[in-house]
């Protein structure tokens, strides 16, 4: 039976940061976005409000800014190697993130079978962000279910990788999970835990798990 590996982005594939922070750094607005990250992490604002606020910060955002943010971000090592191995094994890999779709979807170029983020308009923005398209922790589980149907697997065949409270629902829904550079709250809910900078080492913990 094939397996489906589900990867979070912010704080998981990206070490110690989020896609919005990396994007905002290109505009000189990193501190403002770090504050928003802290607010949404503490539950002071919800994901749709967060999306509206970063959208407002990014009024001058261009595709060149997005490319620079993506290329310069602090990615874990060997992401592409892990996804190539997963494909060679006949398994599937996908990224599901609350971050903007225009950033997350770039990871299909690295070998992910699918990549889902909160729906943002194309860059440069010519229309508003739709709050209904902003993902949540619960939405990650719904997307995982759709991916299971697409790839012909079940939740029992899934492995989730994440670092924060937005991954709790997904960790609870699948049998195998890896807390990657996570705090103790998520680590306590996971079947495996990894601290480090190399995705292959995290993958190795569950490479043969069934």
């Amino acid at each position: 039976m094939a397996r489906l590996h589900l990867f979070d982005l912010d704080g998981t594939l990206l070490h110690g940061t989020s896609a919005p922070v990396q994007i905002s750094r290109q505009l000189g607005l990193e501190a403002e976005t770090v504050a928003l990250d802290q607010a949404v992490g503490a539950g002071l604002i919800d994901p749709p409000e967060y999306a509206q606020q970063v959208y407002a910060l990014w009024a001058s955002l261009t595709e060149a800014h997005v490319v620079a943010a993506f290329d310069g971000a602090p990615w874990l090592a060997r992401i592409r190697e892990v996804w190539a191995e997963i494909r060679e094994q006949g398994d599937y890999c996908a990224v599901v993130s609350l971050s903007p779709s225009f950033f997350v979807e770039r990871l299909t170029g690295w070998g992910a079978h699918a990549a889902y983020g909160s729906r943002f308009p194309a860059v440069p923005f010519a229309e508003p962000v739709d709050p209904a398209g902003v993902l949540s922790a619960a939405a990650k589980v719904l997307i995982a279910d759709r991916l299971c149907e697409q790839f012909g697997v079940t939740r029992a065949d899934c492995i989730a990788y994440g670092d924060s409270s937005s991954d709790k629902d997904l960790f609870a829904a699948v049998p195998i999970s890896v807390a990657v550079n996570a705090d103790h709250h998520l680590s306590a809910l996971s079947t495996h835990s990894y601290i480090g900078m190399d995705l292959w080492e995290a993958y190795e913990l569950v490479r043969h798990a069934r």
Side-chain angles (χ1 to χ4, degrees), residues 134-154:
V134 177
L135 301 188
S136 63
K140 284 191 172 188
V141 179
L142 297 177
I143 291 172
D145 286 340
R146 292 207 301 267
L147 289 168
C148 284
E149 185 175 353
Q150 177 181 340
F151 297 130
V153 300
T154 70

Side-chain angles (χ1 to χ4, degrees), residues 5 20 29 43 63-64 72 74 93 96 110 128 140-141 145 151 179 183 187:
H5 297 256
L29 297 167
E63 180 65 15
C93 51
V96 185
W110 284 13
K140 284 191 172 188
V141 179
D145 286 340
F151 297 130
D183 63 27
S187 297

Side-chain angles (χ1 to χ4, degrees), residues 20 26 44 54 61 63 71 76 80 90 102 107 114 166 198 201:
Q26 302 300 316
L44 301 177
V54 293
L61 189 66
E63 180 65 15
D71 291 346
L76 291 193
R80 279 169 278 204
F102 61 76
L107 287 166
S166 70
D198 190 332
E201 294 174 356

Side-chain angles (χ1 to χ4, degrees), residues 70-155:
F70 187 91
D71 291 346
W75 299 101
L76 291 193
R78 296 199 284 180
I79 294 172
R80 279 169 278 204
E81 289 83 348
V82 168
W83 293 350
E85 161 83 5
I86 287 170
R87 283 176 169 269
E88 288 168 9
Q89 294 297 317
D91 293 337
Y92 301 97
C93 51
V95 182
V96 185
S97 170
L98 274 59
S99 274
S101 51
F102 61 76
F103 190 98
V104 181
E105 290 167 1
R106 301 182 75 87
L107 287 166
T108 57
W110 284 13
H113 287 92
Y116 286 88
S118 294
R119 287 199 308 274
F120 269 66
V123 176
F125 299 142
E127 56 189 86
V129 62
D130 180 1
V134 177
L135 301 188
S136 63
K140 284 191 172 188
V141 179
L142 297 177
I143 291 172
D145 286 340
R146 292 207 301 267
L147 289 168
C148 284
E149 185 175 353
Q150 177 181 340
F151 297 130
V153 300
T154 70
R155 286 188 186 181

